[in-house]
Amino acid sequence: MDKLVIKGGKPLRGEIAISGAKNAALPIIVASLLTSDWNTYYNVPKLRDIFTIKRLLENLGVEFEEGDGLRVNASRLKGYMAPYDLVRTMRASILVLGPLIARLGRAKVSLPGGCAIGARPIDLHLKGLAQMGAKISLDQGYIEARANCLKGADIYLDIPTVTGTENLMMAATLAKGITVIKNAAREPEVEALANMLNRCGAKIEGAGTDTIFIEGKNGLSGTEFRIIPDRIEAGTYMIAAGITGGEVIIKDCCLNHMQAIVDKLRDAGLIIEERGRKVFVKATSIHSTDVTTLPYPGFPTDMQAQFMALMCLGDGVSVITERIFENRFMHVLELKRMGADIKIDGSSAVVRGVSCLKGAPVMASDLRASASLVLAGLAARGVTEVYRVYHLDRGYEKIEVKLRALGAEIERVPA
Ligand code: EPU
């Protein structure tokens, strides 16, 4: 198991490119299950989660070809099961449930267990599929779902779940009749999936708003599609520039998807300017700023830990409130080991800015928590060792390579 060793205190300078979005690429690759034609995807990030979804789909008989883009073909499906081994390492595996029922009339998917950031139930996925006519049962830790023919339904989601919306939207593309998803997730990744499905011949309207209409079709065809930039990776590198007092130019990011992030970072003292197709980021001081995570277009929970790292060096007190997941403060104790002053009060963390962080060995607990520890390490005096780097590899492409190109002293070494 590798660790990252970071010698902190160097302002980052230079230019980096943002990769394709993990959380857009995952459902889009899974959506290949809905057609027997070849699909080609460009800008797919090279990440552990993408490798995991490929393994899961290969198990089902899906073929992959790597070239200029990632080519995917699901014409010869030989199974309908997502095993525990793969689902437990990546909860997004649940995304195969809707497409498999829609395409094969049958799916068997391991029920995801607990998670480091919260309970994360999937009841809304199952309720929506049941409303579309799927018969669902639970046996020995597996969800078994069957439907001869899914039918359109009027579905209201109690919570605008991202993968739940994606699962139901994918299932509805091959259902008989019209499905309406109300209180749908509005994330850009949901909209990207709808755009890809529409290019395959699906009829989806309203993706990106809270009501999505899907008219089911008899079949879908293949397409080519470019994965949207990763807004969370872009936000993380913006903070890397800010927390080190550096100046970074970010290429290939989409500020339209990042309004809440950019607004908060500007409140926190970062200068963020769009210059043609690039974004210039710089900070000379860090202002303590409150933030509350919310579904899109609100401030994303996936940026909470990184924003907290920045606030550790703020000029006052910041209150960070987590409203999406109930246990997403695992980074707090690790940041405290680096000298941060943070108190947790229910779903809020009160962060009192300190004049400097000090390097320490720290343990990553989930993907975004790991990113916050790397950011803290880049700003800290001395050496920080971040253990359990595999969490980072799930969602940040070549993080140490990209940071080194900006002048960071960061090495990956066997732990
Ligand atoms: N929820 C339910 N019932 C459900 C589904 C969700 O109660 O059936 C609750 C969850 O427990 C949570 C809230 O609804 O409290 C929102 O969860 P959501 O379902 O939206 O999360 P998700 O779809 O499992 C995706 C991202 C996460 C990101 C969240 C929130 C993917 C593959 N994952 O997860 O990404 O944090 O939306 O924006 O898209 C990450 O990339 O690090 C990551 C965790």
Side-chain angles (χ1 to χ4, degrees):
M1 234 187 271
D2 293 345
K3 66 179 176 184
L4 287 178
V5 180
I6 307 165
K7 209 182 270 175
K10 280 191 82 178
L12 300 190
R13 284 183 212 287
E15 187 170 298
I16 50 151
I18 296 306
S19 301
K22 163 179 86 78
N23 290 348
L26 289 171
I28 285 172
I29 294 171
V30 169
S32 315
L33 286 170
L34 294 164
T35 167
S36 46
D37 289 348
W38 281 95
N39 283 295
T40 307
Y41 305 122
Y42 300 103
N43 203 32
V44 177
K46 291 195 171 43
L47 298 170
R48 212 163 64 99
D49 274 9
I50 300 294
F51 179 72
T52 307
I53 206 75
K54 280 164 72 182
R55 266 179 61 208
L56 175 55
L57 295 180
E58 269 166 359
N59 250 346
L60 298 168
V62 175
E63 291 171 73
F64 288 91
E65 285 178 5
E66 303 263 2
D68 199 14
L70 177 68
R71 283 168 49 75
V72 189
N73 182 280
S75 59
R76 283 182 290 198
L77 292 181
K78 59 175 194 218
Y80 54 86
M81 182 169 121
Y84 176 63
D85 268 9
L86 293 173
V87 179
R88 114 187 122 81
T89 57
M90 191 185 68
R91 301 177 63 84
S93 308
I94 194 67
L95 284 166
V96 300
L97 184 61
L100 282 177
I101 310 171
R103 175 90 186 275
L104 302 176
R106 194 163 184 194
K108 183 171 176 181
V109 177
S110 171
L111 189 66
C115 173
I117 61 178
R120 301 183 77 182
I122 53 152
D123 53 316
L124 301 173
H125 303 228
L126 302 184
K127 186 176 165 199
L129 290 169
Q131 281 177 271
M132 294 172 75
K135 298 270 170 288
I136 296 173
S137 58
L138 185 68
D139 186 32
Q140 298 187 0
Y142 279 81
I143 304 153
E144 295 220 35
R146 281 174 194 256
N148 287 335
C149 174
L150 288 174
K151 50 185 194 315
D154 204 344
I155 298 169
Y156 171 80
L157 297 174
D158 287 343
I159 300 172
T161 157
V162 175
T163 49
T165 302
E166 292 165 346
N167 229 335
L168 298 173
M169 192 165 77
M170 287 191 280
T173 59
L174 295 181
K176 206 171 168 52
I178 292 178
T179 299
V180 183
I181 307 176
K182 294 177 187 152
N183 199 28
R186 291 178 281 170
E187 270 68 2
E189 293 77 17
V190 174
E191 198 177 347
L193 173 64
N195 290 340
M196 175 265 168
L197 289 167
N198 281 339
R199 288 176 64 130
C200 295
K203 189 146 186 245
I204 304 174
E205 283 174 17
T209 76
D210 63 3
T211 308
I212 305 179
F213 300 86
I214 306 120
E215 186 184 317
K217 298 280 179 185
N218 289 332
L220 298 183
S221 50
T223 192
E224 294 192 348
F225 196 78
R226 188 171 173 83
I227 305 298
I228 58 170
D230 196 313
R231 61 197 167 98
I232 305 301
E233 190 197 19
T236 303
Y237 284 109
M238 286 178 181
I239 293 182
I243 202 168
T244 61
E247 284 185 27
V248 171
I249 291 168
I250 300 183
K251 284 196 306 185
D252 305 334
C253 78
C254 178
L255 284 192
N256 286 345
H257 295 162
M258 298 180 64
Q259 193 178 346
I261 299 173
V262 168
D263 279 4
K264 274 296 159 192
L265 292 180
R266 284 186 175 140
D267 289 350
L270 270 65
I271 296 160
I272 301 175
E273 287 170 9
E274 206 163 0
R275 295 186 183 167
R277 293 161 69 89
K278 298 179 180 177
V279 180
F280 170 85
V281 187
K282 172 183 170 162
T284 45
S285 55
I286 301 172
H287 306 312
S288 292
T289 304
D290 296 345
V291 77
T292 298
T293 64
L294 287 169
Y296 190 85
F299 188 88
T301 174
D302 290 345
M303 282 299 300
Q304 179 257 109
Q306 302 90 314
F307 193 79
M308 190 181 294
L310 183 68
M311 289 301 99
C312 289
L313 293 170
D315 57 4
V317 177
S318 149
V319 180
I320 298 180
T321 305
E322 173 58 54
R323 290 240 188 277
I324 306 295
F325 293 113
E326 62 276 22
N327 191 26
R328 213 172 195 183
F329 282 145
M330 302 279 275
H331 42 286
V332 168
L333 284 174
E334 302 300 306
L335 289 170
K336 285 175 81 158
R337 302 190 68 248
M338 299 178 71
D341 181 349
I342 309 171
K343 285 194 179 60
I344 297 181
D345 181 9
S347 59
S348 293
V350 180
V351 188
R352 232 169 264 279
V354 293
S355 58
C356 77
L357 292 170
K358 294 181 207 111
V362 285
M363 193 71 85
S365 54
D366 78 81
L367 169 56
R368 309 303 170 185
S370 323
S372 86
L373 300 176
V374 170
L375 292 169
L378 290 170
R381 283 194 196 146
V383 174
T384 297
E385 294 175 327
V386 182
Y387 288 85
R388 297 198 184 153
V389 176
Y390 58 87
H391 288 296
L392 271 172
D393 295 335
R394 294 185 51 192
Y396 288 91
E397 189 172 41
K398 298 186 189 144
I399 188 164
E400 73 275 22
V401 177
K402 288 190 184 186
L403 286 171
R404 261 203 307 271
L406 298 175
E409 284 191 52
I410 177 168
E411 292 294 334
R412 180 185 291 252
V413 296

